[in-house]
Structure formats: C-alpha cells, structure tokens
Amino acid sequence: MAIEQIKMPQLGESVTEGTISKWLVSVGDKVNKYDPLAEVMTDKVNAEVPSSFSGTIKELIAGEGDTLAVGEIICTIEIEGGNAEEAPAADAAASEAASSASVTPAPAAEEGSKARYSPAVLKLAQENNIDLSQVKGSGAGGRITRKDLKQVIESGNIPQASAQNEAPKEAVKVDAASAKPAAQTQPEPQVQPAAPAPSVPVAAGDIEIPVTGVRKAIAANMLRSKHEAPHAWTMVEVDVTNLVEYRNGLKNDFKKKEGFNLTFFAFFVKAVAQALKEFPQINSMWAGEKIIQKKDINISIAVATDDALFVPVIKNADEKTIKGIGREINELALKVRTGKLRAEEMQGGTFTVNNTGSFGSVQSMGIINYPQAAILQVESIVKRPVVMNNGMIAVRDMVNLCLSLDHRVLDGLVCGRFLARVKEILENTSKETTSIY
C-alpha cells in the first residue's frame, strides 16, 4: 500500500488559492482515477477536483470552507501497489476538469537557505506581523499553510516579526511568478492590512450568513474599483421603437430556426461593440504612468445567480453578428447558472455591458469592472409618451443607457460622443437597415 497526496490545483492563470466548498467523498470511500473528489471555489471559477489515482480515501486534510493556497494538500488516498506513475496525472486531470491553465503548485519549501511562501500565507503573515521563521509548518516538506497561521493567531501566542526579521515582501512577486499569474500591465497595488470586522449587534431571530469566497472576491473587487477609480456618470435616453418592432417580428421564427431566444440585449451589445471600434479611447485601462488602449474588443456581460455575480466575456464582439452574439450570451448565461463556466471565459474583458433592465430597473449607476475604464447599464425598455419632431405626442419604446466611467482615463466629451453613437445605431436599427446574420 502507498499513500498519495491530492493538492489544490491552480484553476486559472492568476488564481493562487481555492476554497473547498463541498466534499464529494468521505474517508473510506473507494474512488477511481478521475472521479470528482471535491467542489472548489475561487474568485474566478467553480470546479471539481478529480482524483489522480484509484484507491481509498485515507484522510480529508482540508475541511469544507477552508481556503488553501495552490499546491497545498487537501486529502490523501491509499492506493494498492504504490503505482507512482499515476502521480503526474494529478495536474492534467485537474486542468482538464477546470478547462483552464496547466496546474503549477506554488512552491514554499526551502531552496538553499531561503524559504519561499505562498501569496496567501505571506499576506496573512504581514497583516498580523508574524515572524514566519518561528512557525512550524504542517504542509509537505515542512511548508507553512494558512491553517498553520490561523492556529497561531487563534492561540494568541504570535511570534512578532521585527523590522529586521519580518516576512519578506518580495516573496509575493517570486511566488506569484511560480503560480503563473495573468500578465499585468499596471503596477501591483501594495497589500493593505485587513480592516477590522464591523461590530454589528445581533438580536434574537437575526440570521448570520457566512461570507463565501465568491462574495469576498466580489466585495474586494468592487471596493478596489470605487477606491482607486474616480467614478463619473452620464446617461442618454434612446427611442428603440423600430428595434422593438423588428425583433418582435422575427423572434418566433428565429427561435424555431436557431434553437435559442433572440433577446434585445444582443442588439445592445452589438451596438456597443460597433461604437467601441469607432471610439477606441473607451476601450482602455489605467496603468499608472500610462493608459493602455486595448486592440481587441472583448465585451464582459454581467450574469447573476442567487448569491453571486459573474462577468463572462464575449471575445472580439465587433467581429460577430447579432445572431452570434445572441448565441454566446445564451451559452455563457447557461454555464454560469449551471456552474460550468471556465476560468478563461471570464478573462480578457475590456468593457462591460450590464443588462439591469432585466430586473425592471430604469436608471442605475454601475461600479466599473476593474481594471476596465467604463461600464454601461442597459435599462428596461418602457413605453412612454414622447414629443416628436412635428410637435405631436406619440407612445414610443424608450430605454435609458447609463454609463459609469473612470475619470482618470476618460472625459465627458469622448463619453458623450460614444453614447451618442450607440444611440444613433440603436435608433436606426430596423428590418430595412439591419441584418442579424
């Protein structure tokens, strides 16, 4: 008999840790190679971790809700015959399950005389001023894990790091490089100490809901966006009467022919993609000493579940037809709601369009999807009396388009022209002028 280890895989290029949301096996269960062992949640994707071996579950080292760095051991499996040749399958199986980048464990063992720590461990040590050289690790090769540090913090016996012996800040860059993070054009922000939890009185009958990893990631990204990007906001109203008549006239035949619904949102995304091509300044990002104007037009779309928000990306949206965009919207939304969205399907977005109108909203101020420079909220299409050019009053289908912008990157003039162009495209969408194919 031999004992083999299953480690936390890297479920995405810039992912450095994951949370065990649910164990699918128990100690003593027999599993086959590639059988799912656990559901893991990161800030980018949910995925199942498959077994790299056939055998019996020996120990579940991580508990549900535990967050571990990439490469940390989550469980052990007892295999017959000790066939070590199966070990390399761990990374390939996890990568295949997540349809993501290849698995690269973050090393934290000794290399020569210098210890290396995972980003998660280093951050926690810096926040609590812990001298890592005084902590005994329980991981492979004496590696220090987040669980080790949490035990030290809970014990109250914290070995304090002096100015000469504090946790090496440069280790963040070294270890992050080993985890193959996504290329960054902007300088990395300095890690800020975690804010103390607010003291909220809890009365009888109140319900305490634990904050999930996805909700923490959403909170961190939204806070960073509001803290770093000076938000400005503008809105235009658009007469989409012709668009509504055009879409309603062909939606039934389209559904029978294509097998999915043709939504109004596909027309809006197409119009935005076309306008971004004409106003490339909007398709930019702040990078400290420079602004990066992105070549590709990749539209992020916000898709909500009951307790989270995801932003899958329609790549090269300007090159796609309305039908093609509609198909991608349908497929990406389905993947989000069934937990099958892959990490790479949320990467590379350059501008976000949010369909707030699906909830009945008529006016809203979106928070920019960092590090993008703007987000457009498409509100509900409502019938309203409108004064026409001839002075007559008519009932028209109207929609508000609300744009939030990063005022470091964009100014009102270019944003006003961009919105005016989107408005023009939509108001001139009709059977006579627009093809969905």
Side-chain angles (χ1 to χ4, degrees):
M1 297 289 185
I3 304 297
E4 296 291 349
Q5 301 171 341
I6 301 295
K7 300 178 180 179
M8 176 65 70
Q10 184 179 354
L11 303 175
E13 287 183 318
S14 59
V15 174
T16 59
E17 62 183 18
T19 301
I20 304 291
S21 56
K22 182 180 180 181
W23 278 108
L24 305 177
V25 295
S26 302
V27 173
D29 286 355
K30 292 186 179 298
V31 296
N32 295 318
K33 188 177 179 181
Y34 302 123
D35 282 353
L37 301 177
E39 293 179 356
V40 173
M41 176 174 56
T42 74
D43 61 343
K44 294 184 179 296
V45 70
N46 291 351
E48 291 180 346
V49 175
S51 175
S52 308
F53 313 93
S54 296
T56 304
I57 301 298
K58 183 70 174 177
E59 181 183 5
L60 302 182
I61 295 176
E64 293 185 355
D66 286 353
T67 301
L68 296 90
V70 168
E72 288 192 38
I73 302 168
I74 63 174
C75 72
T76 58
I77 297 179
E78 186 176 60
I79 63 174
E80 296 183 2
N83 184 5
E85 292 182 358
E86 292 190 57
D91 291 352
S95 180
E96 180 180 354
S99 299
S100 186
S102 60
V103 177
T104 307
E110 296 268 341
E111 286 192 7
S113 60
K114 185 176 180 179
R116 299 173 69 190
Y117 309 100
S118 73
V121 166
L122 190 64
K123 179 181 178 181
L124 195 58
Q126 290 175 348
E127 289 173 352
N128 294 275
N129 196 30
I130 299 175
D131 183 356
L132 291 175
S133 66
Q134 303 297 315
V135 178
K136 183 177 180 180
S138 62
R143 181 174 191 231
I144 299 174
T145 67
R146 281 173 55 93
K147 185 181 293 186
D148 296 329
L149 294 190
K150 286 181 178 179
Q151 290 176 349
V152 169
I153 294 170
E154 290 171 359
S155 72
N157 186 22
I158 301 177
Q160 297 293 308
S162 64
Q164 293 79 23
N165 195 30
E166 62 179 352
K169 295 182 180 179
E170 67 274 10
V172 170
K173 291 185 178 179
V174 173
D175 214 41
S178 69
K180 294 183 180 179
Q184 296 291 327
T185 55
Q186 61 274 357
E188 288 292 324
Q190 294 186 357
V191 175
Q192 298 294 329
S199 177
V200 178
V202 180
D206 292 350
I207 300 174
E208 296 185 8
I209 302 173
V211 179
T212 65
V214 170
R215 178 51 55 186
K216 287 180 181 177
I218 293 171
N221 196 51
M222 294 297 98
L223 181 62
R224 181 179 185 184
S225 180
K226 287 293 288 185
H227 176 73
E228 294 188 19
H231 281 55
W233 182 80
T234 185
M235 182 188 81
V236 297
E237 59 177 7
V238 183
D239 185 338
V240 289
T241 305
N242 293 335
L243 187 159
V244 169
E245 291 177 355
Y246 177 35
R247 178 262 183 181
N248 288 346
L250 55 79
K251 66 176 182 178
N252 293 332
D253 289 341
F254 183 91
K255 176 67 179 294
K256 292 177 182 177
K257 181 180 178 180
E258 305 297 342
F260 63 93
N261 290 322
L262 178 63
T263 64
F264 291 117
F265 192 49
F267 289 89
F268 288 105
V269 172
K270 178 61 179 178
V272 168
Q274 183 178 335
L276 285 173
K277 197 167 186 177
E278 299 175 25
F279 292 89
Q281 306 97 311
I282 308 294
N283 203 48
S284 299
M285 297 180 182
W286 179 261
E289 297 300 318
K290 54 190 173 182
I291 294 172
I292 307 299
Q293 186 170 294
K294 306 299 288 184
K295 174 180 177 291
D296 293 336
I297 296 175
N298 300 332
I299 304 294
S300 301
I301 59 171
V303 181
T305 62
D306 289 341
D307 56 0
L309 180 70
F310 297 85
V311 279
V313 178
I314 300 174
K315 303 290 178 63
N316 301 306
D318 58 311
E319 300 175 3
K320 294 180 169 64
T321 63
I322 293 172
K323 171 202 165 183
I325 290 173
R327 184 183 297 279
E328 282 205 47
I329 291 172
N330 181 72
E331 291 175 350
L332 290 171
L334 182 62
K335 287 181 180 180
V336 167
R337 288 161 187 151
T338 57
K340 296 180 180 179
L341 189 68
R342 301 191 303 270
E344 62 267 27
E345 291 175 314
M346 288 191 288
Q347 297 172 355
T350 60
F351 184 93
T352 298
V353 182
N354 189 8
N355 189 19
T356 44
S358 62
F359 309 111
S361 171
V362 294
Q363 185 171 304
S364 59
M365 298 174 64
I367 298 177
I368 299 166
N369 183 17
Y370 189 92
Q372 298 171 16
I375 180 173
L376 184 72
Q377 313 275 95
V378 178
E379 307 296 345
S380 293
I381 298 174
V382 297
K383 291 187 179 295
R384 291 199 289 106
V386 176
V387 178
M388 308 299 288
N389 291 334
N390 58 9
M392 301 294 289
I393 296 177
V395 176
R396 308 289 290 179
D397 291 294
M398 305 296 293
V399 64
N400 293 328
L401 302 180
C402 305
L403 182 74
S404 296
L405 57 120
D406 182 344
H407 225 322
R408 298 173 302 178
V409 182
L410 303 171
D411 294 316
L413 179 62
V414 67
C415 289
R417 289 173 175 173
F418 167 74
L419 277 180
R421 180 57 179 143
V422 175
K423 172 185 172 78
E424 180 183 23
I425 294 169
L426 292 171
E427 290 189 339
N428 287 280
T429 297
S430 65
K431 180 179 180 180
E432 293 74 24
T433 62
T434 309
S435 172
I436 62 173
Y437 295 102

